[in-house]
Amino acid sequence: MAALFLLLLHLLLHVSHAAINPGDLSVLQDLRRSLTNADALLGWGDPNAADPCAQWPHISCDRAGRVNNIDLKNAGLAGTLPSTFAALDALQDLSLQNNNLSGDLPSFRGMASLRHAFLNNNSFRSIPADFFSGLTSLLVISLDQNPLNVSSGGWTIPADVAAAQQLQSLSLNGCNLTGAIPDFLGAMNSLQELKLAYNALSGPIPSTFNASGLQTLWLNNQHGVPKLSGTLDLIATMPNLEQAWLHGNDFSGPIPDSIADCKRLSDLCLNSNQLVGLVPPALESMAGLKSVQLDNNNLLGPVPAIKAPKYTYSQNGFCADKPGVACSPQVMALLHFLAEVDYPKRLVASWSGNNSCVDWLGISCVAGNVTMLNLPEYGLNGTISDSLGNLSELSDINLIGNNLTGHVPDSLTSLRLLQKLDLSGNDLTGPLPTFSPSVKVNVTGNLNFNGTAPGSAPSKDTPGSSSSRAPTLPGQGVLPENKKKRSAVVLATTIPVAVSVVALASVCAVLIFRKKRGSVPPNAASVVVHPHENSDPDNLVKIVMVDNDGNGSSTQGNTLSGSSSRASDVHMIDTGNFVIAVQVLRGATKNFTQDNVLGRGGFGVVYKGELHDGTMIAVKRMEAAVISNKALDEFQAEIAILTKVRHRNLVSILGYSIEGNERLLVYEYMSNGALSKHLFQWKQFELEPLSWKKRLNIALDVARGMEYLHNLAHQCYIHRDLKSANILLGDDFRAKVSDFGLVKHAPDGNFSVATRLAGTFGYLAPEYAVTGKITTKADVFSFGVVLMELITGMTAIDESRLEEETRYLASWFCQIRKDEDRLRAAIDPTLDQSDETFESISVIAELAGHCTSREPTQRPDMGHAVNVLVPMVEKWKPVNDETEDYMGIDLHQPLLQMVKGWQDAEASMTDGSILSLEDSKGSIPARPAGFAESFTSADGR
Ligand SMILES: *[C@@H]1O[C@H](CO)[C@@H](O)[C@H](O)[C@H]1NC(C)=O
Ligand SMILES: *[C@@H]1O[C@H](CO)[C@@H](O)[C@H](O)[C@H]1NC(C)=O
Ligand SMILES: *[C@@H]1O[C@H](CO)[C@@H](O)[C@H](O)[C@H]1NC(C)=O
Ligand SMILES: *[C@@H]1O[C@H](CO)[C@@H](O)[C@H](O)[C@H]1NC(C)=O
Ligand SMILES: *[C@@H]1O[C@H](CO)[C@@H](O)[C@H](O)[C@H]1NC(C)=O
């Protein structure tokens, strides 16, 4: 029996090799010959003897002896690909990125199994027209950074791409594309990521992109003349858009108001375009923005108070230097006028700043007040804004010979000083409001004007017309004689137009980089984490009260055992495009080998994995034996939450798999593991104890993540299981909250929700433990306990502690924290106790006490904790500390990584370092510091 089992296992794990398919063998031999340094680098052994399926590292085959995987990334390979390459038509995954391959790309025509193809960062010099023909299985392809068809003037994306109906990621940055963005791309419904930066594309975004489901759109930095142009109206129709990189083009017109409908938007780079006018105030209320770059356009009016950690807006025509500062009412009145006539270029260039009396084309002033609007024959289209009624000193309006339509606004009748209103030669329609007889109104030559004679129609003081708004000051009713003379037309001389000089990757990218070792973190789509460390001192009893029939029955310890197996019960989850094939995850985790186990927790084992493109991931695999209803619920809850919630201090999901009995969740790999390991087990793992500064940063990260969870865009989520084992650290020791299996959606944050009791003893708020009713304040309590752990280095609960009163950290800490000597004695001995540190610790101790107040209403909300922590972290910012570079920049900044990738590439070229391949059995060592993996994207990489 056991032998049979082993045999089966053997069959499963080590696919027995049929002899390699002769056709595939011949292609591989061609490949070997066409690579100039394969023998030196790849360990492929004797060219004649070997069966590549069995013996060539980096080549894998299926059971039929067909090559299905070639993984030669980052290998320093030179040479070309053989023209016979497409005969490998069972090939599914191809990784050739970051080599020095050159020559002509062979056609991939007919490679119907190909799913992932990474050819980026090589020197391929041409691509054949039929390259994409018949690539019907393609999911992800990157050709970034290849000088394709340079000598023949570039290339365009062939229509064959449309046959790849499942294509999710098309990445063609920096590969000499020319012409327009093809229409068919907008109709590819599975496409989530379209990256066409650094090419020579021109023309508008095609109308087929209306309502496109794209999440990532990079069109930035086109280097041709002209560049991409047209308005951004289509961008605002994309409901899933997270990253819109449009900088370094000729996009024009105003930023559409409806941009706020892109609810998931996190990066909006619009710098260095020709955008004009007022920025929609709706941007100010968007949650989740991380980077907004508006520099170097012709934006006018107030600098909007946008809430984004990275926000730039210089080199525009704004009226103020700082966000949220209002413009003068005159300026606003004129800008609203300008908006309604569609921001004509000439006026936009001149109407900037906050003084409409200095050099504004067509505006005349007396004593700082606008008295004349003189814009004859300016080709103005659109309507006359009723905001003109707010220019209370206006005496002369000349709009002769434009193309204005609509009605004459009632608000103009409130202009007490108005003498002349010449609207002749437009296309206005009546009726005309009633003006005082002293006003000379001329509407001749408006062919469709139906209420002919001036004054013939009754004035309608409609609600919303600005007649009621126009301020009239006492004593202004009578027009003094001399005012008639005071108007002098001030014609502005040439105004320097803000020229959109594109400083290459500049504005969006000129920033500090995080110093990173190891692989670069994946970007937006591929965020996140693995739950508990294997090593977690889960002597903390995790409780989940299972309640199927309304009676709370509590299970302790392993809550899973004994649950009935309902593996076949497929719970439907609608989460969009996060599905990843189990097969891919098997490959990434070396078939879930024991060596890759990172930890066990929340209903499964967590494995480390490496995707084809080198991205490190963590895969949580639900154990088949324990797939209970409840486990499935948690699985679903986690997916549902993670796909909705995105914040740099919350782990988010890369994908999941549901196939047969498999339930897998994929997160970003957090290299430093759980906070608990660093606090309680640093000795055991031979780690450096965390400095107080790091602890403060972690506290702030957690507070920010929780604040977001609690207040997420009108929704409120309660984590219910915040603890140091669920706080994970990246390689920079910045923290993210993980494990969302117990998160509860609270329809209204202030309202308590009755739930099954869940969470972990030691962190549970008393009222929740007693009543099972939960509010966000229960998380605040848990946060307070985590702060105590950070201060003391003691676990929340430890039954083995000698003094009974110290066993429950929360209650003990509250007793001692006010007594300075006892507090000093309780501080983690690894922390220095300089006056400065102690002062800082005291503040956090007080915050911890506040957060763990007995009465939930007395606990602060997470926003308060953030406010307390921000200045502490800042105060504690020693000079030259690298980790501080991280501030304000997050993992969702692939351009940074991209530029970094280029820098590294350059550095590695100049120092000529060659990769050592001593360990040629295993995977090829990655290049130092995340080379161009960072350039290709995220999930697909
Ligand atoms: C090709 O791309 C490179 C790098 O993006 C650029 O410098 C070059 O001008 C491009 N050439 C053509 C013909 O587009
Ligand atoms: C008004 O519209 C016409 C036709 O659409 C256009 O050619 C013209 O440039 C517009 N005028 C201004 C000032 O934008
Ligand atoms: C504008 O007019 C008001 C009232 O007529 C006057 O008090 C003020 O001094 C003028 N100038 C400015 C700059 O507001
Ligand atoms: C005036 O506006 C109409 C309608 O918008 C447009 O068709 C026409 O081209 C415009 N004419 C000029 C001279 O701008
Ligand atoms: C009204 O405007 C037309 C065309 O601009 C002009 O010929 C006419 O003299 C004006 N009428 C008055 C009373 O100013």
Side-chain angles (χ1 to χ4, degrees):
M1 191 58 193
L4 179 62
F5 178 75
L6 284 177
L7 177 67
L8 281 174
L9 200 67
H10 178 84
L11 285 174
L12 278 175
L13 296 180
H14 307 271
V15 176
S16 60
H17 317 104
I20 185 168
N21 170 293
D24 285 3
L25 176 61
S26 134
V27 177
L28 288 182
Q29 283 166 342
D30 290 349
L31 174 64
R32 185 171 184 159
R33 275 189 294 272
S34 68
L35 297 174
T36 54
N37 53 1
D39 290 345
L41 296 177
L42 298 178
W44 278 352
D46 178 354
N48 301 314
D51 174 357
C53 286
Q55 284 151 302
W56 290 17
H58 319 301
I59 303 287
S60 327
C61 304
D62 62 20
R63 283 173 221 195
R66 299 299 313 273
V67 174
N68 62 6
N69 181 352
I70 296 180
D71 183 359
L72 297 172
K73 59 179 174 279
N74 309 326
L77 291 171
T80 63
L81 291 186
S83 60
T84 52
F85 196 77
L88 294 176
D89 60 5
L91 189 66
Q92 296 183 1
D93 298 306
L94 175 65
S95 299
L96 294 172
Q97 67 267 40
N98 310 330
N99 284 294
N100 297 316
L101 300 174
S102 57
D104 301 320
L105 268 179
S107 175
F108 277 24
R109 173 186 271 274
M111 297 183 75
S113 303
L114 194 62
R115 295 154 53 94
H116 302 101
F118 297 98
L119 298 159
N120 45 295
N121 299 80
N122 280 292
S123 303
F124 292 114
R125 70 174 175 218
S126 78
I127 180 165
D130 64 350
F131 180 87
F132 290 94
S133 177
L135 302 187
T136 48
S137 300
L138 203 58
L139 299 176
V140 176
I141 186 162
S142 172
L143 295 169
D144 296 338
Q145 292 296 91
N146 281 292
L148 297 175
N149 298 18
V150 171
S151 58
S152 54
W155 61 297
T156 54
I157 305 173
D160 285 342
V161 169
Q165 286 183 10
Q166 302 163 56
L167 191 64
Q168 293 169 2
S169 172
L170 179 63
S171 195
L172 301 173
N173 297 307
C175 57
N176 289 98
L177 287 170
T178 59
I181 300 173
D183 289 351
F184 67 82
L185 285 180
M188 295 187 69
N189 294 331
S190 55
L191 204 59
Q192 295 166 20
E193 199 170 78
L194 179 61
K195 300 186 173 177
L196 304 174
Y198 293 93
N199 283 296
L201 296 168
S202 56
I205 298 170
S207 59
T208 49
F209 280 82
N210 191 48
S212 149
L214 282 176
Q215 293 165 12
T216 303
L217 178 61
W218 294 6
L219 299 176
N220 49 293
N221 300 89
Q222 300 303 319
H223 51 61
V225 179
K227 304 164 187 290
L228 291 169
S229 57
T231 70
L232 300 183
D233 295 352
L234 284 169
I235 298 292
T237 66
M238 303 181 185
N240 298 334
L241 199 62
E242 292 171 13
Q243 235 180 27
W245 289 5
L246 306 171
H247 47 294
N249 280 297
D250 291 330
F251 289 114
S252 59
I255 301 173
D257 289 343
S258 49
I259 193 88
D261 295 343
C262 302
K263 297 248 185 301
R264 310 176 77 171
L265 203 56
S266 105
D267 290 10
L268 181 63
C269 292
L270 302 177
N271 43 303
S272 299
N273 278 294
Q274 322 262 356
L275 300 172
V276 299
L278 295 159
V279 179
L283 269 180
E284 297 179 346
S285 53
M286 285 183 76
L289 287 172
K290 302 206 167 70
S291 171
V292 176
Q293 320 252 325
L294 304 176
D295 322 58
N296 197 10
N297 282 290
N298 280 318
L299 300 171
L300 304 173
V303 181
I306 289 172
K307 296 176 213 80
K310 171 87 186 120
Y311 174 34
T312 58
Y313 48 80
S314 64
Q315 298 182 66
N316 278 293
F318 288 128
C319 71
D321 295 338
K322 290 204 185 84
V325 177
C327 305
S328 85
Q330 286 193 155
V331 165
M332 287 313 285
L334 288 167
L335 292 181
H336 283 126
F337 168 82
L338 203 60
E340 287 202 25
V341 296
D342 241 354
Y343 297 111
K345 269 198 172 136
R346 257 168 103 188
L347 294 184
V348 164
S350 137
W351 288 19
S352 67
N354 199 30
N355 189 346
S356 42
C357 295
V358 177
D359 293 344
W360 280 36
L361 211 53
I363 304 296
S364 309
C365 297
V366 169
N369 286 312
V370 174
T371 56
M372 181 172 183
L373 180 65
N374 188 36
L375 299 168
E377 288 162 26
Y378 267 69
L380 303 180
N381 305 311
T383 55
I384 302 174
S385 169
D386 65 5
S387 70
L388 291 184
N390 294 352
L391 296 168
S392 60
E393 309 287 299
L394 205 52
S395 61
D396 191 342
I397 299 176
N398 175 358
L399 295 169
I400 302 172
N402 285 292
N403 198 7
L404 297 166
T405 56
H407 298 273
V408 178
D410 289 340
S411 65
L412 299 187
T413 61
S414 68
L415 293 170
R416 301 205 180 185
L417 305 182
L418 191 65
Q419 298 166 47
K420 234 172 105 192
L421 175 62
D422 198 336
L423 304 172
S424 54
N426 282 286
D427 196 10
L428 296 161
T429 46
L432 193 69
T434 310
F435 286 92
S436 115
S438 62
V439 183
K440 283 191 219 138
V441 182
N442 192 342
V443 290
T444 54
N446 287 276
L447 299 178
N448 300 311
F449 208 90
N450 43 15
T452 44
S456 65
S459 162
K460 276 182 286 168
D461 201 1
T462 47
S465 87
S466 38
S467 50
S468 47
R469 277 186 274 145
T472 32
L473 298 174
Q476 280 191 329
V478 184
L479 178 66
E481 223 9 62
N482 64 355
K483 282 208 178 174
K484 289 182 182 160
K485 295 186 205 130
R486 69 185 186 179
S487 305
V489 181
V490 181
L491 269 181
T493 48
T494 11
I495 308 298
V497 180
V499 184
S500 58
V501 176
V502 182
L504 194 72
S506 70
V507 208
C508 229
V510 174
L511 270 177
I512 353 136
F513 294 110
R514 296 166 57 197
K515 283 261 170 33
K516 288 197 51 63
R517 287 133 287 149
S519 68
V520 165
N523 68 12
S526 64
V527 205
V528 197
V529 192
H530 59 78
H532 321 274
E533 285 296 303
N534 203 5
S535 50
D536 269 345
D538 246 341
N539 56 2
L540 306 183
V541 187
K542 175 146 173 169
I543 60 163
V544 176
M545 287 173 73
V546 188
D547 192 350
N548 291 328
D549 50 11
N551 298 321
S553 64
S554 141
T555 352
Q556 298 207 343
N558 182 354
T559 53
L560 302 173
S561 52
S563 320
S564 63
S565 172
R566 301 249 325 248
S568 59
D569 184 5
V570 177
H571 294 217
M572 290 307 295
I573 306 165
D574 177 18
T575 50
N577 293 311
F578 286 89
V579 182
I580 298 180
V582 170
Q583 190 201 356
V584 170
L585 298 179
R586 274 210 189 94
T589 58
K590 307 206 179 107
N591 212 356
F592 302 110
T593 172
Q594 196 59 32
D595 290 351
N596 280 24
V597 171
L598 289 168
R600 275 163 226 282
F603 305 115
V605 180
V606 183
Y607 297 86
K608 178 160 86 172
E610 185 179 359
L611 288 181
H612 222 263
D613 61 356
T615 309
M616 298 299 295
I617 54 172
V619 181
K620 182 154 92 175
R621 186 191 203 196
M622 203 186 276
E623 283 160 302
V626 302
I627 296 183
S628 63
N629 254 349
K630 184 164 54 59
L632 285 176
D633 284 349
E634 290 204 14
F635 179 80
Q636 280 179 59
E638 189 150 7
I639 294 174
I641 301 294
L642 287 176
T643 52
K644 273 191 221 116
V645 174
R646 283 182 187 276
H647 186 272
R648 67 181 156 153
N649 299 122
L650 300 177
V651 306
S652 52
I653 194 167
L654 169 55
Y656 66 88
S657 297
I658 302 182
E659 272 175 48
N661 280 347
E662 291 284 12
R663 298 288 183 279
L664 301 160
L665 280 173
V666 184
Y667 318 86
E668 179 191 21
Y669 175 68
M670 297 285 281
S671 57
N672 273 313
L675 171 62
S676 52
K677 182 168 93 174
H678 294 267
L679 285 180
F680 315 129
Q681 298 174 297
W682 55 275
K683 271 191 194 139
Q684 195 176 325
F685 288 93
E686 300 180 347
L687 302 168
E688 285 255 306
L690 294 172
S691 67
W692 180 242
K693 185 176 116 53
K694 283 202 178 102
R695 295 182 199 209
L696 277 178
N697 271 310
I698 290 166
L700 176 58
D701 287 343
V702 173
R704 283 192 163 133
M706 295 304 294
E707 181 191 27
Y708 181 76
L709 199 61
H710 288 173
N711 303 311
L712 167 82
H714 315 302
Q715 307 232 46
C716 170
Y717 293 93
I718 306 172
H719 188 284
R720 297 204 291 167
D721 200 14
L722 182 64
K723 55 180 175 176
S724 48
N726 282 342
I727 295 167
L728 301 178
L729 304 177
D731 51 9
D732 47 15
F733 287 95
R734 301 311 297 253
K736 294 186 184 204
V737 177
S738 80
D739 210 338
F740 294 83
L742 296 179
V743 167
K744 190 83 192 161
H745 181 209
D748 171 350
N750 298 322
F751 208 70
S752 64
V753 196
T755 64
R756 317 182 301 205
L757 189 56
T760 305
F761 278 136
Y763 297 88
L764 277 190
E767 79 282 0
Y768 178 41
V770 171
T771 66
K773 292 213 173 137
I774 193 162
T775 65
T776 53
K777 295 297 174 67
D779 282 346
V780 175
F781 185 96
S782 308
F783 177 72
V785 177
V786 170
L787 291 180
M788 294 171 187
E789 293 180 324
L790 287 168
I791 294 170
T792 62
M794 289 160 71
T795 54
I797 181 172
D798 186 348
E799 303 283 359
S800 67
R801 280 186 205 129
L802 289 177
E803 294 163 60
E804 198 182 332
E805 55 171 18
T806 68
R807 288 179 189 165
Y808 291 88
L809 183 59
S811 56
W812 173 70
F813 190 86
C814 285
Q815 292 163 29
I816 60 116
R817 75 178 169 87
K818 296 222 166 96
D819 176 334
E820 182 176 329
D821 291 338
R822 294 184 76 190
L823 178 59
R824 276 187 188 276
I827 292 173
D828 189 335
T830 67
L831 293 173
D832 83 277
Q833 282 208 23
S834 65
D835 289 349
E836 201 185 359
T837 317
F838 183 72
E839 194 187 314
S840 175
I841 289 175
S842 307
V843 176
I844 301 303
E846 188 175 329
L847 178 62
H850 192 183
C851 289
T852 51
S853 303
R854 178 165 290 277
E855 286 302 318
T857 52
Q858 280 166 14
R859 294 174 210 148
D861 54 27
M862 290 309 304
H864 174 81
V866 170
N867 289 340
V868 171
L869 284 159
V870 165
M872 312 268 318
V873 165
E874 271 166 13
K875 193 157 65 185
W876 209 264
K877 193 196 284 179
V879 275
N880 295 333
D881 190 299
E882 286 169 3
T883 64
E884 286 306 318
D885 290 352
Y886 176 83
M887 289 304 290
I889 304 171
D890 60 36
L891 303 180
H892 302 199
Q893 278 278 11
L895 184 57
L896 296 179
Q897 300 160 16
M898 179 159 116
V899 173
K900 173 93 167 91
W902 291 341
Q903 288 185 341
D904 289 349
E906 254 167 51
S908 68
M909 259 139 47
T910 47
D911 73 21
S913 60
I914 303 227
L915 297 169
S916 114
L917 287 178
E918 286 152 7
D919 180 24
S920 62
K921 200 85 235 279
S923 64
I924 296 170
R927 283 200 190 195
F931 187 50
E933 275 119 283
S934 51
F935 178 82
T936 65
S937 75
D939 39 346
R941 300 182 298 144

